[in-house]
Amino acid sequence: MGHRLDGKVAIVTGAGSGIGRAGALLFAAEGAKVVCADISGDEEKTAAEIGAAAVAVHVDVSVAADVEGMVTTAEERFGRLDILFNNAGIGGPKLLVTEQTEEAFDHVIGVNLKGVFLGMKYGIQAILRSGGGSVINTASAAGLVGWRKNAVYGASKGGVIQMTKAVALDYADKGVRVNAICPGMTWTGLVPDAKEHPDPPADVPMPYQPMKRWGLSSELATAALFLAGDDSSFVTGVALPVDGGYVCG
Ligand code: NAI
């Protein structure tokens, strides 16, 4: 058990799986109380794994009332909010823009972009009531460079990066730091094979990333921990690639 987040209260969205689950477990191991939020039901499992320092909240991050309720739960249950990890997201259909449906556009933008907006809208009010804190938004390498057949997903993640920078400026002198992590291809529930194999099998290659391997949820969680705690006290407005070098090339 580390002590980097002793006394802090964190919300993690998408805490039922992948990067969010790893983040929730790591934040708790570092001393934080954690609100585990997800739409899947698996938020209950993550919260149970953590124990008394966690509470599960069933939310759709694209619904304002759910997000407001999630923030209220943090304050009612644990008395404050210091850290908001806006991580929930979906991939959406991988199609040419000419083939994408309007419904898929609205869904992906609703979860990935509006979800982060709502999280910050309600979460930052609570963080300010606690005297300041840290917001971490999960964007993507796809928000920094183009990915084929990912126009809508890329737009949602590019939007998350720009929103992160604008909000970072607005709160830079008010004690709230706002940063983004940009995962490269990471072995999580977003990868179909990961449901069967918790760790990336050696025979599933990842040629696109210079390190020639998949990222692990735990490697994204440690980046989020750095941004969540005082180790990054002078860092705000960054979009940090955690991608084995992917966006360099
Ligand atoms: P995951 O599928 O393992 O976890 C995402 C979680 O978000 C799931 O538990 C899901 O139920 C939850 N979720 C989806 N829609 C929701 C909603 N409307 N409200 C509340 N929760 C919702 O996938 P992963 O990879 O851990 O995803 C986390 C973030 O990382 C996402 O924002 C994703 O876009 C981003 N990312 C992932 C990459 C990868 O290669 N896995 C690459 C770049 C970004």
Side-chain angles (χ1 to χ4, degrees):
M1 291 269 283
H3 298 281
R4 282 189 172 80
L5 304 182
D6 273 352
K8 308 279 191 200
V9 176
I11 291 175
V12 179
T13 70
S17 175
I19 296 165
R21 177 177 173 277
L25 295 173
L26 182 60
F27 287 5
E30 290 288 339
K33 304 266 196 313
V34 185
V35 176
C36 300
D38 207 299
I39 200 172
S40 67
D42 288 342
E43 66 279 2
E44 300 281 351
K45 289 186 200 159
T46 306
E49 224 174 306
I50 293 170
V55 61
V57 184
H58 189 76
V59 294
D60 181 339
V61 295
S62 67
V63 174
D66 282 16
V67 176
E68 196 175 7
M70 170 181 85
V71 172
T72 302
T73 299
E75 290 190 302
E76 284 182 358
R77 188 67 182 262
F78 297 128
R80 55 189 293 119
L81 182 65
D82 306 281
I83 297 158
L84 172 64
F85 187 11
N86 280 315
N87 165 78
I90 55 173
K94 311 240 172 311
L95 294 168
L96 293 174
V97 72
T98 48
E99 297 163 344
Q100 277 292 3
T101 64
E102 191 178 348
E103 290 73 25
F105 179 93
D106 288 343
H107 189 208
V108 171
I109 296 293
V111 175
N112 293 2
L113 186 56
K114 186 181 169 191
V116 170
F117 159 71
L118 290 172
M120 292 201 288
K121 176 175 167 62
Y122 294 105
I124 288 177
Q125 296 177 40
I127 290 173
L128 288 170
R129 286 192 283 274
S130 301
S134 173
V135 177
I136 309 103
N137 298 321
T138 302
S140 171
L144 293 167
V145 298
W147 281 1
R148 287 185 175 81
K149 298 188 176 177
N150 262 297
V152 179
Y153 181 77
S156 74
K157 296 302 191 177
V160 167
I161 291 170
Q162 290 308 322
M163 211 160 41
T164 298
K165 292 182 180 179
V167 179
L169 286 176
D170 291 338
Y171 291 93
D173 58 356
K174 297 178 179 64
V176 185
R177 297 182 300 105
V178 186
N179 293 289
I181 55 172
C182 300
M185 278 143 276
T186 310
W187 194 260
T188 69
L190 280 191
V191 182
D193 287 350
K195 302 245 189 283
E196 288 162 42
H197 306 280
D199 298 312
D203 61 350
V204 181
M206 175 38 69
Y208 313 113
Q209 277 169 171
M211 287 192 190
K212 301 267 190 295
R213 67 170 178 88
W214 290 83
L216 304 177
S217 292
S218 57
E219 294 173 307
L220 274 301
T222 48
L225 172 64
F226 167 69
L227 294 171
D230 293 340
D231 287 343
S232 60
S233 52
F234 202 46
V235 180
T236 198
V238 306
L240 177 67
V242 185
D243 66 352
Y246 180 78
V247 301
C248 293

